[in-house]
Amino acid sequence: MKLNQVTVTVDDMDAAIAFYERLGMTLIVHTHERYARFELPGGETFSLHLGDRPGPEGPRLYFEVEDVDTEYDHLRRAGIAFDNEPVTQSWLWREACFRDPAGNRLCLYHAGENRRFPPWRKKG
């Protein structure tokens, strides 16, 4: 199983499209004002649905990159505001988190082998 599609709710479609294009996603579907879909470089897709703004504890979406610090610097120069600078978490992922215009929580991260094979992975 591979995560290939995520949809988040936004309350301003134009602002959300502009934001995700600044992240480097390619808009591939925008047939009406309530829905848009993007393609990421690896072929995964990500969609926006117009609706009520999500609550503060909605889902957190993780976008894996090779170098969190470099991508963080690139996106800050593009005008993306982050909640935190890149940090190596206790679970061995390097992360820098931010929010889209609708408040959806997003995180750049790099986990390498620790995503599937952390030192504490169950044996068997």
Side-chain angles (χ1 to χ4, degrees), residues 32-57:
H32 55 82
E33 64 186 36
R34 298 193 59 78
Y35 181 80
R37 183 182 308 147
F38 298 86
E39 185 175 66
L40 283 77
E44 302 84 2
T45 56
F46 176 79
S47 298
L48 307 173
H49 178 266
L50 187 65
D52 293 332
R53 185 174 282 219
E57 295 306 317

Short mmCIF file of all heavy atoms in Angstrom, two decimals, residues 32-57:
data_model
loop_
_atom_site.label_atom_id
_atom_site.label_comp_id
_atom_site.label_asym_id
_atom_site.label_seq_id
_atom_site.Cartn_x
_atom_site.Cartn_y
_atom_site.Cartn_z
N HIS A 32 -13.86 23.25 -11.43
CA HIS A 32 -14.88 24.12 -10.85
C HIS A 32 -14.32 24.71 -9.58
O HIS A 32 -13.25 24.32 -9.12
CB HIS A 32 -16.20 23.36 -10.61
CG HIS A 32 -16.05 22.13 -9.79
ND1 HIS A 32 -15.99 22.14 -8.42
CD2 HIS A 32 -15.93 20.82 -10.15
CE1 HIS A 32 -15.86 20.91 -7.97
NE2 HIS A 32 -15.81 20.09 -8.99
N GLU A 33 -15.01 25.64 -8.99
CA GLU A 33 -14.46 26.39 -7.85
C GLU A 33 -14.34 25.59 -6.56
O GLU A 33 -13.70 26.04 -5.62
CB GLU A 33 -15.29 27.64 -7.60
CG GLU A 33 -16.72 27.33 -7.18
CD GLU A 33 -17.59 28.57 -7.06
OE1 GLU A 33 -17.40 29.50 -7.86
OE2 GLU A 33 -18.43 28.60 -6.15
N ARG A 34 -14.92 24.39 -6.49
CA ARG A 34 -14.92 23.64 -5.24
C ARG A 34 -13.83 22.57 -5.14
O ARG A 34 -13.69 21.92 -4.13
CB ARG A 34 -16.28 22.99 -5.01
CG ARG A 34 -17.41 24.00 -4.88
CD ARG A 34 -18.68 23.41 -4.36
NE ARG A 34 -18.54 22.79 -3.05
CZ ARG A 34 -18.50 23.45 -1.88
NH1 ARG A 34 -18.56 24.76 -1.87
NH2 ARG A 34 -18.38 22.80 -0.75
N TYR A 35 -13.07 22.34 -6.23
CA TYR A 35 -12.12 21.24 -6.22
C TYR A 35 -10.91 21.56 -7.10
O TYR A 35 -11.05 22.11 -8.20
CB TYR A 35 -12.78 19.96 -6.74
CG TYR A 35 -11.88 18.76 -6.74
CD1 TYR A 35 -11.64 18.04 -5.57
CD2 TYR A 35 -11.25 18.35 -7.90
CE1 TYR A 35 -10.80 16.94 -5.57
CE2 TYR A 35 -10.40 17.24 -7.91
CZ TYR A 35 -10.19 16.55 -6.75
OH TYR A 35 -9.36 15.47 -6.75
N ALA A 36 -9.73 21.19 -6.61
CA ALA A 36 -8.50 21.30 -7.39
C ALA A 36 -7.60 20.13 -7.02
O ALA A 36 -7.63 19.64 -5.89
CB ALA A 36 -7.78 22.62 -7.08
N ARG A 37 -6.82 19.66 -8.00
CA ARG A 37 -5.89 18.56 -7.75
C ARG A 37 -4.51 18.93 -8.28
O ARG A 37 -4.38 19.54 -9.34
CB ARG A 37 -6.34 17.27 -8.42
CG ARG A 37 -5.41 16.09 -8.09
CD ARG A 37 -5.80 14.79 -8.77
NE ARG A 37 -7.20 14.50 -8.52
CZ ARG A 37 -7.98 13.88 -9.41
NH1 ARG A 37 -7.51 13.49 -10.57
NH2 ARG A 37 -9.25 13.66 -9.12
N PHE A 38 -3.49 18.54 -7.52
CA PHE A 38 -2.10 18.78 -7.88
C PHE A 38 -1.39 17.45 -8.04
O PHE A 38 -1.78 16.45 -7.45
CB PHE A 38 -1.38 19.55 -6.75
CG PHE A 38 -1.95 20.91 -6.49
CD1 PHE A 38 -3.01 21.07 -5.63
CD2 PHE A 38 -1.41 22.01 -7.10
CE1 PHE A 38 -3.54 22.32 -5.38
CE2 PHE A 38 -1.93 23.28 -6.85
CZ PHE A 38 -2.99 23.43 -5.99
N GLU A 39 -0.30 17.50 -8.80
CA GLU A 39 0.59 16.34 -8.91
C GLU A 39 1.93 16.72 -8.31
O GLU A 39 2.42 17.83 -8.52
CB GLU A 39 0.76 15.94 -10.37
CG GLU A 39 1.58 14.68 -10.53
CD GLU A 39 1.63 14.24 -11.98
OE1 GLU A 39 2.23 14.98 -12.79
OE2 GLU A 39 1.05 13.20 -12.28
N LEU A 40 2.50 15.80 -7.53
CA LEU A 40 3.81 15.99 -6.95
C LEU A 40 4.85 15.32 -7.85
O LEU A 40 4.50 14.48 -8.69
CB LEU A 40 3.86 15.40 -5.55
CG LEU A 40 3.18 16.26 -4.48
CD1 LEU A 40 1.68 16.13 -4.53
CD2 LEU A 40 3.69 15.85 -3.11
N PRO A 41 6.14 15.66 -7.70
CA PRO A 41 7.17 15.12 -8.59
C PRO A 41 7.20 13.58 -8.66
O PRO A 41 7.54 13.04 -9.70
CB PRO A 41 8.48 15.66 -8.00
CG PRO A 41 8.07 16.93 -7.34
CD PRO A 41 6.69 16.66 -6.78
N GLY A 42 6.82 12.89 -7.59
CA GLY A 42 6.85 11.43 -7.60
C GLY A 42 5.60 10.79 -8.17
O GLY A 42 5.47 9.57 -8.20
N GLY A 43 4.64 11.61 -8.63
CA GLY A 43 3.42 11.08 -9.21
C GLY A 43 2.26 11.02 -8.24
O GLY A 43 1.12 10.75 -8.64
N GLU A 44 2.49 11.26 -6.96
CA GLU A 44 1.40 11.28 -5.99
C GLU A 44 0.51 12.48 -6.29
O GLU A 44 0.94 13.45 -6.90
CB GLU A 44 1.93 11.38 -4.54
CG GLU A 44 2.84 10.28 -4.12
CD GLU A 44 4.28 10.51 -4.53
OE1 GLU A 44 4.62 11.54 -5.11
OE2 GLU A 44 5.09 9.60 -4.26
N THR A 45 -0.74 12.41 -5.84
CA THR A 45 -1.65 13.53 -6.04
C THR A 45 -2.14 14.06 -4.71
O THR A 45 -2.18 13.35 -3.70
CB THR A 45 -2.84 13.14 -6.94
OG1 THR A 45 -3.50 12.02 -6.37
CG2 THR A 45 -2.38 12.83 -8.35
N PHE A 46 -2.51 15.33 -4.73
CA PHE A 46 -2.95 16.06 -3.55
C PHE A 46 -4.08 16.96 -3.99
O PHE A 46 -3.97 17.65 -5.00
CB PHE A 46 -1.77 16.88 -3.00
CG PHE A 46 -2.13 17.75 -1.85
CD1 PHE A 46 -2.24 17.21 -0.58
CD2 PHE A 46 -2.35 19.11 -2.03
CE1 PHE A 46 -2.57 18.02 0.49
CE2 PHE A 46 -2.68 19.91 -0.97
CZ PHE A 46 -2.79 19.37 0.30
N SER A 47 -5.21 16.94 -3.25
CA SER A 47 -6.39 17.69 -3.68
C SER A 47 -6.88 18.66 -2.62
O SER A 47 -6.66 18.46 -1.42
CB SER A 47 -7.53 16.73 -4.01
OG SER A 47 -7.17 15.89 -5.07
N LEU A 48 -7.58 19.68 -3.11
CA LEU A 48 -8.22 20.68 -2.26
C LEU A 48 -9.72 20.61 -2.51
O LEU A 48 -10.15 20.47 -3.65
CB LEU A 48 -7.73 22.09 -2.63
CG LEU A 48 -6.24 22.32 -2.67
CD1 LEU A 48 -5.94 23.72 -3.21
CD2 LEU A 48 -5.63 22.14 -1.29
N HIS A 49 -10.48 20.71 -1.43
CA HIS A 49 -11.94 20.75 -1.53
C HIS A 49 -12.41 21.98 -0.77
O HIS A 49 -12.02 22.20 0.38
CB HIS A 49 -12.54 19.48 -0.91
CG HIS A 49 -14.03 19.48 -0.94
ND1 HIS A 49 -14.78 19.92 0.12
CD2 HIS A 49 -14.89 19.12 -1.90
CE1 HIS A 49 -16.06 19.82 -0.19
NE2 HIS A 49 -16.15 19.34 -1.41
N LEU A 50 -13.24 22.79 -1.40
CA LEU A 50 -13.73 24.00 -0.76
C LEU A 50 -14.80 23.66 0.27
O LEU A 50 -15.75 22.92 -0.02
CB LEU A 50 -14.32 24.94 -1.82
CG LEU A 50 -14.72 26.33 -1.34
CD1 LEU A 50 -13.49 27.11 -0.88
CD2 LEU A 50 -15.43 27.08 -2.47
N GLY A 51 -14.63 24.15 1.49
CA GLY A 51 -15.59 23.88 2.56
C GLY A 51 -15.25 24.72 3.78
O GLY A 51 -14.48 25.68 3.70
N ASP A 52 -15.82 24.35 4.92
CA ASP A 52 -15.52 25.05 6.16
C ASP A 52 -14.09 24.80 6.56
O ASP A 52 -13.55 23.71 6.38
CB ASP A 52 -16.46 24.58 7.28
CG ASP A 52 -17.89 25.00 7.02
OD1 ASP A 52 -18.10 26.02 6.34
OD2 ASP A 52 -18.81 24.30 7.49
N ARG A 53 -13.48 25.81 7.16
CA ARG A 53 -12.10 25.71 7.63
C ARG A 53 -11.97 24.57 8.63
O ARG A 53 -12.80 24.42 9.52
CB ARG A 53 -11.69 27.03 8.27
CG ARG A 53 -10.24 27.07 8.69
CD ARG A 53 -9.89 28.44 9.17
NE ARG A 53 -9.72 29.28 8.00
CZ ARG A 53 -8.80 30.21 7.88
NH1 ARG A 53 -7.99 30.45 8.86
NH2 ARG A 53 -8.68 30.92 6.78
N PRO A 54 -10.92 23.76 8.52
CA PRO A 54 -10.73 22.66 9.47
C PRO A 54 -10.39 23.16 10.87
O PRO A 54 -9.93 24.28 11.04
CB PRO A 54 -9.55 21.88 8.89
CG PRO A 54 -8.81 22.88 8.06
CD PRO A 54 -9.85 23.85 7.55
N GLY A 55 -10.64 22.31 11.85
CA GLY A 55 -10.31 22.65 13.23
C GLY A 55 -8.81 22.64 13.46
O GLY A 55 -8.05 22.18 12.62
N PRO A 56 -8.36 23.17 14.59
CA PRO A 56 -6.92 23.31 14.85
C PRO A 56 -6.19 21.98 14.96
O PRO A 56 -5.00 21.93 14.80
CB PRO A 56 -6.86 24.09 16.16
CG PRO A 56 -8.17 23.84 16.81
CD PRO A 56 -9.16 23.67 15.69
N GLU A 57 -6.88 20.90 15.24
CA GLU A 57 -6.22 19.61 15.39
C GLU A 57 -6.55 18.67 14.24
O GLU A 57 -6.60 17.46 14.42
CB GLU A 57 -6.58 18.98 16.74
CG GLU A 57 -6.07 19.78 17.92
CD GLU A 57 -4.57 20.05 17.85
OE1 GLU A 57 -3.80 19.13 17.50
OE2 GLU A 57 -4.17 21.19 18.14
#
